């Protein structure tokens, strides 16, 4: 496999924990440059990745675009589309952190530009490789709950005080919990059951001083009668199950969160022995009525995302998450905001 030189734009928690460790360890990829102006982040990147060049101005990256093959954008949400567009215009493949853009129109324009230039463009929906979600996918494929009826999925937190952060800024700039956590939940639901035809949402701002939505419920009506009920909240003083999958022959219930994020934040090297494994005490429960048994959680595997990107760059083919899938997620987010404003169900066309 040929090796693709990668420039990582942004070295906050997204760049340092979720992207750089995989870019530096995935065969076929080389973390060649990190773009950040923050002196502390520059020092951290140099210490952990001494072979990667630290660049303090993205304009320099564009001047030297011919030296790179792939750009990874992990910056505030309102910069995703402009940076991705500039990278594509310079002939570079692009991975964009979620959300793909702040509007589906911008996302469609990026997808069109990438197709026109024949360049890879992918969205980093890494939560498809959470171990608990991989377990849900496997159980559905094996028919272990029968015909699926209802899928409950939650990202809930107890953060009653507003933080000073761009994520707490104007929704027009991609702030708010629907863009932040909803991107993951919607993408996961559509990965399982396809694009919904109806969307209903309650989009609320609960905390004193909050400028954006922090407590959201979204219901997606898919084909074949499956309903996804998605909850995301910063004000959940008691956390509900991460997943509750109900079928006509059984159910699967899973608490807790995939361990990969905590491991990455702690600086662990991804992909080694035991990576993404959960202990039996946090496995989910599979069964019906009063008869349930523990179901081993499949290992989490974020490393598979960038392995598939490397394969697509080297040999062609689609990336692990397509631009079209990123557009579809944003269309549902926009429908959810519209439903939240009107109180009505929104029908998706096309």
């Amino acid at each position: 496999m040929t090796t693709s030189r990668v420039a990582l734009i942004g070295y906050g928690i997204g760049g340092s924990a979720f992207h750089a460790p995989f870019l530096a360890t995935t065969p076929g990829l080389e973390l060649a440059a990190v773009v950040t102006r923050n002196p502390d982040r520059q020092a951290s990147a140099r210490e952990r990745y001494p072979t990667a060049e630290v660049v303090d101005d993205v304009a320099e990256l564009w001047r030297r675009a011919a030296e790179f093959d792939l750009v990874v954008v992990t910056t505030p949400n309102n910069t995703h589309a402009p940076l991705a567009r500039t990278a594509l215009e310079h002939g570079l493949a692009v991975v964009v952190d979620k959300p793909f853009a702040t509007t589906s129109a911008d996302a469609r324009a990026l997808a069109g530009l990438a197709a026109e230039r024949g360049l890879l463009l992918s969205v980093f929906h890494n939560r498809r490789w959470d171990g608990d979600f991989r377990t849900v996918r496997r159980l559905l494929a094996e028919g272990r709950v029968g015909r699926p009826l209802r899928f409950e999925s939650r990202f809930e937190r107890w953060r009653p005080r507003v933080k000073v952060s761009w994520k707490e800024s104007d929704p027009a700039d991609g702030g708010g919990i629907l863009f932040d956590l909803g991107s993951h939940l919607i993408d996961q639901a559509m990965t399982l059951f396809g694009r919904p035809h109806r969307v209903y949402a309650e989009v609320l701002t609960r905390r004193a001083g909050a400028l954006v939505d922090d407590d959201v419920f979204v219901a997606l009506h898919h084909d074949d009668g499956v309903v996804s009920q998605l909850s995301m909240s910063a004000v959940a003083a008691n956390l509900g199950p991460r997943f509750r999958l109900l079928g006509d022959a059984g159910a699967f219930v899973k608490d807790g969160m995939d361990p990969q994020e905590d491991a990455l934040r702690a600086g662990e090297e991804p992909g080694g022995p035991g990576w993404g494994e959960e202990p039996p005490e946090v496995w989910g429960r599979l069964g019906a009525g009063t008869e349930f048994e523990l179901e081993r959680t499949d290992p989490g595997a974020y490393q598979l995302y960038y392995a598939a990107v490397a394969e697509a760059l080297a040999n062609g083919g689609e990336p692990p998450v397509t631009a079209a899938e990123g557009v579809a997620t944003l269309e549902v987010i926009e429908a959810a905001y519209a439903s939240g404003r009107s109180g009505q169900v929104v029908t998706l066309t096309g």
Side-chain angles (χ1 to χ4, degrees):
M1 181 183 293
T2 58
T3 297
S4 297
R5 287 172 54 83
V6 185
L8 173 64
I9 305 178
Y11 200 70
I13 190 63
S16 64
F18 287 96
H19 293 278
F22 298 101
L23 297 172
T25 57
T26 299
L29 299 179
E30 175 193 352
L31 179 58
V34 175
V35 183
T36 178
R37 292 185 177 182
N38 183 292
D40 292 336
R41 293 174 182 177
Q42 289 178 347
S44 176
R46 288 190 178 101
E47 180 180 3
R48 186 166 183 185
Y49 305 106
T51 62
E53 181 180 2
V54 175
V55 179
D56 65 3
D57 187 350
V58 73
E60 181 181 347
L61 174 64
W62 306 138
R63 287 192 295 269
R64 298 167 50 192
E67 300 177 21
F68 304 98
D69 304 293
L70 171 68
V71 164
V72 176
V73 177
T74 176
T75 52
N77 293 347
N78 63 351
T79 66
H80 287 184
L83 288 170
R85 171 170 287 278
T86 303
L88 291 168
E89 289 172 344
H90 281 82
L92 294 165
V94 184
V95 167
V96 187
D97 215 332
K98 61 82 194 169
F100 190 9
T102 57
T103 70
S104 62
D106 285 345
R108 277 189 291 273
L110 289 174
L113 178 60
E116 177 186 311
R117 301 288 179 95
L119 294 168
L120 178 145
L121 176 61
S122 183
V123 187
F124 188 63
H125 281 302
N126 62 305
R127 293 288 181 176
R128 294 188 189 182
W129 289 270
D130 278 357
D132 45 19
F133 182 69
R134 296 182 76 208
T135 305
V136 169
R137 293 188 75 174
R138 173 176 57 81
L139 293 175
L140 285 168
E142 294 172 352
R144 302 280 294 283
V145 299
R147 180 170 63 90
L149 305 174
R150 190 175 303 275
F151 174 61
E152 298 175 13
S153 177
R154 296 173 179 83
F155 271 175
E156 295 177 333
R157 297 166 172 167
W158 176 234
R159 295 180 178 174
R161 293 179 180 82
V162 176
K163 291 184 177 181
V164 178
S165 167
W166 59 263
K167 290 187 178 182
E168 303 280 5
S169 66
D170 189 340
D173 289 332
I177 205 165
L178 182 52
F179 270 113
D180 184 25
L181 302 182
S183 295
H184 288 310
L185 298 184
I186 291 166
D187 175 73
Q188 287 181 332
M190 290 198 297
T191 297
L192 296 177
F193 304 115
R195 188 173 185 267
H197 54 267
R198 290 191 297 156
V199 178
Y200 169 76
E202 298 165 3
V203 183
L204 305 171
T205 302
R206 300 287 199 181
R207 294 172 296 174
L211 302 176
V212 294
D213 49 276
D214 56 13
D215 187 26
V216 176
F217 169 80
V218 179
L220 307 180
H221 293 254
H222 308 271
D223 292 339
D224 300 324
V226 179
V227 177
S228 293
Q229 295 182 324
L230 314 178
S231 300
M232 58 225 74
S233 179
V235 291
N238 180 262
L239 307 183
R242 174 67 184 90
F243 291 119
R244 184 168 177 256
L245 173 65
L246 303 178
D248 64 0
F252 175 69
V253 183
K254 177 70 173 67
D255 295 311
M257 292 294 296
D258 177 274
Q260 292 177 97
E261 177 173 349
D262 285 345
L264 290 167
R265 286 176 177 266
E268 293 184 25
E269 194 80 0
W275 178 260
E277 292 276 6
E278 284 191 338
E281 56 265 27
V282 293
W283 291 350
R285 305 175 302 283
L286 178 69
T290 59
E291 298 181 2
F292 281 80
E293 296 182 351
L294 290 178
E295 179 70 22
R296 181 181 183 274
T297 305
D298 293 8
Y302 291 166
Q303 67 273 17
L304 296 182
Y305 174 85
Y306 271 117
V309 168
E311 171 69 22
L313 287 170
N315 301 312
E318 288 194 336
V321 181
T322 66
E325 289 170 326
V327 171
T329 296
L330 286 168
E331 289 174 340
V332 174
I333 288 174
E334 290 171 342
Y337 274 120
S339 175
R341 289 190 297 268
S342 68
Q344 304 297 312
V345 173
V346 173
T347 300
L348 292 180
T349 59

